[in-house]
Amino acid sequence: MSDNGPSKTKATMDSLKGAVQENAGWAIGNEQMQAEGAATRAKADMEYKAAQAEGYAGGVIDSVKGNVKSAVGSAIGNEQMQAEGKASQIKGDVEKKLNS
């Protein structure tokens, strides 16, 4: 993930900020504050989903690359290449699971 890309951590913090603002607006009867909080939360939820999709896609790529590398290593009898491929495949599977 790039520094300018979506971030699950930032999205979670922004969602929390929006929820606090929305609830504070409700508590004091300020509809504008309540609406701004809801908008902040909605934007944060979209960023979270974008970061999740980006992480899942990265996992798919790692998994496929690992599968190919492992298969090539097996075909040419290179155990190190096969092990590296399997490790990459496992890493990709974990990334997919964390982002699904």
Side-chain angles (χ1 to χ4, degrees), residues 6-100:
S7 163
K8 289 197 294 187
T9 303
K10 181 182 177 304
T12 300
M13 295 301 293
D14 287 348
S15 182
L16 179 60
K17 176 185 165 191
V20 168
Q21 184 179 16
E22 184 178 8
N23 287 317
W26 175 83
I28 64 173
N30 185 329
E31 291 181 7
Q32 181 178 349
M33 180 186 273
Q34 193 174 356
E36 288 172 358
T40 298
R41 229 171 18 102
K43 182 180 176 191
D45 290 346
M46 287 188 299
E47 180 177 357
Y48 188 90
K49 289 182 190 303
Q52 201 172 26
E54 186 178 271
Y56 190 88
V60 169
I61 291 168
D62 285 342
S63 186
V64 169
K65 282 181 178 179
N67 193 21
V68 169
K69 189 171 187 176
S70 179
V72 170
S74 178
I76 64 173
N78 185 329
E79 290 180 7
Q80 181 176 347
M81 182 182 232
Q82 195 174 357
E84 289 171 358
K86 187 66 178 169
S88 182
Q89 185 178 6
I90 290 169
K91 177 185 173 215
D93 290 345
V94 169
E95 286 176 301
K96 290 190 301 186
K97 189 167 187 89
L98 289 173
N99 290 291
S100 59

